[in-house]
Amino acid sequence: MHCHVGIENREIGLQLMNQACYFLPHIFALSTNSPFWEGRNTGYKSFRTKVFDKFPRTGLPEYFDSVQAYDNYLETLVKTKCIDNPKKIWWDLRLHPFYDTIEFRITDMMLTVDEAMCVVSVIQAIVAKLYKLTMANTSFNIYRIALIKENKFRAARYGIDNHMIDFGLQKEVETKGLILELLDFIDDVVDELGSRKHIEYVHTILNEGTGADKQLRVFEQTQDLTKVVDMITSEFTRGL
């Protein structure tokens, strides 16, 4: 699932992209919904990522210090026929080549509309909060992509269970605790955005599990993938 957040100034967009990378594993963990691949339980909460990683220009974006550096990179790839247009950059987060948006691409396709609305609202609020900090000249820490990859792997493997790393504290913390801290971080922009109801649904996901957890529960009870598919189709259309 892709989510676009409008930013008119590309320089600010790039700054926000660099800062927002830290939160990608948190968002990803909430959206995990692909535990099966070719009829097998993979042991991952999101195997889609593992499949997609085999392609070039995927995964977490590298750090760029200016829009010019970013555009030069794209230009070089087009010139050398690596890609025929800049949309062939498939990173988890990218400055969109044609629209004034930053595009979040890390999430799985979620099981329900409620989950999708919730995660999109969290993404919007993260960008709004980072924008607010940037405008007040207090930008969020930028962490090494190599470190963020550690959290991305944990999110793919365990979803919202187990631990991720708090790089500020330099220690492991429960993923659910980190996600609750994220809710505190964005809280002051949520009412302005009018998305509190959708964002409150994070608590439901933390209590009931992600789409992956729900799929695995049905599989554990039935050992039947057709029953898992039945659950997916009934959940996806529920409430529509």
Side-chain angles (χ1 to χ4, degrees):
M1 196 188 82
H2 305 160
C3 173
H4 290 260
V5 184
I7 306 286
E8 284 172 17
N9 180 315
R10 287 181 81 229
E11 281 294 350
I12 292 171
L14 188 73
Q15 283 180 50
L16 298 181
M17 176 176 134
N18 288 330
Q19 293 171 41
C21 275
Y22 172 76
F23 297 105
L24 288 174
H26 306 57
I27 295 161
F28 178 36
L30 285 168
S31 79
T32 48
N33 191 32
S34 53
F36 299 101
W37 178 250
E38 295 186 336
R40 290 196 305 276
N41 181 356
T42 61
Y44 283 82
K45 295 292 174 77
S46 172
F47 199 69
R48 181 194 76 93
T49 329
K50 299 289 117 195
V51 176
F52 206 55
D53 280 349
K54 297 182 189 341
F55 293 95
R57 300 176 301 283
T58 58
L60 293 162
E62 63 177 279
Y63 172 81
F64 289 93
D65 57 7
S66 69
V67 168
Q68 191 180 356
Y70 185 76
D71 288 342
N72 286 347
Y73 166 76
L74 296 180
E75 213 173 285
T76 302
L77 289 185
V78 173
K79 245 187 213 166
T80 55
K81 295 190 167 64
C82 297
I83 55 177
D84 57 7
N85 78 76
K87 277 187 77 174
K88 299 284 167 69
I89 304 289
W90 294 308
W91 290 329
D92 295 334
L93 174 59
R94 69 177 181 183
L95 197 60
H96 198 281
F98 306 132
Y99 306 118
D100 293 329
T101 62
I102 49 178
E103 182 185 9
F104 288 73
R105 307 166 55 88
I106 195 167
T107 61
D108 270 1
M109 175 59 81
M110 280 151 274
L111 188 62
T112 65
V113 173
D114 286 336
E115 287 168 10
M117 289 300 292
C118 170
V119 172
V120 166
S121 299
V122 170
I123 288 170
Q124 182 195 39
I126 288 169
V127 176
K129 177 64 184 254
L130 293 175
Y131 181 79
K132 188 177 176 179
L133 290 175
T134 301
M135 291 299 98
N137 240 351
T138 50
S139 60
F140 189 76
N141 270 354
I142 290 172
Y143 293 95
R144 286 185 181 281
I145 293 300
L147 287 175
I148 297 168
K149 277 181 180 168
E150 298 295 333
N151 273 348
K152 184 185 171 183
F153 172 77
R154 289 167 183 237
R157 178 78 173 81
Y158 304 112
I160 55 174
D161 297 325
N162 219 298
H163 297 79
M164 289 205 299
I165 305 160
D166 182 321
F167 297 121
L169 298 176
Q170 296 207 331
K171 67 175 193 181
E172 283 189 310
V173 253
E174 284 192 358
T175 299
K176 288 179 182 178
L178 263 187
I179 289 169
L180 291 174
E181 277 181 29
L182 168 57
L183 294 189
D184 289 342
F185 175 70
I186 60 179
D187 192 68
D188 61 326
V189 298
V190 168
D191 290 323
E192 203 180 326
L193 296 168
S195 56
R196 187 167 294 278
K197 182 171 78 78
H198 293 307
I199 285 173
E200 288 292 316
Y201 196 79
V202 167
H203 297 290
T204 305
I205 297 173
L206 296 181
N207 290 329
E208 295 179 4
T210 67
D213 296 317
K214 291 174 185 172
Q215 288 190 50
L216 288 164
R217 274 201 295 273
V218 172
F219 186 68
E220 276 157 26
Q221 288 159 8
T222 64
Q223 295 298 307
D224 184 351
L225 279 172
T226 58
K227 293 282 190 294
V228 176
V229 174
D230 290 345
M231 184 277 291
I232 291 168
T233 52
S234 65
E235 279 287 290
F236 186 66
T237 54
R238 188 162 54 91
L240 290 183

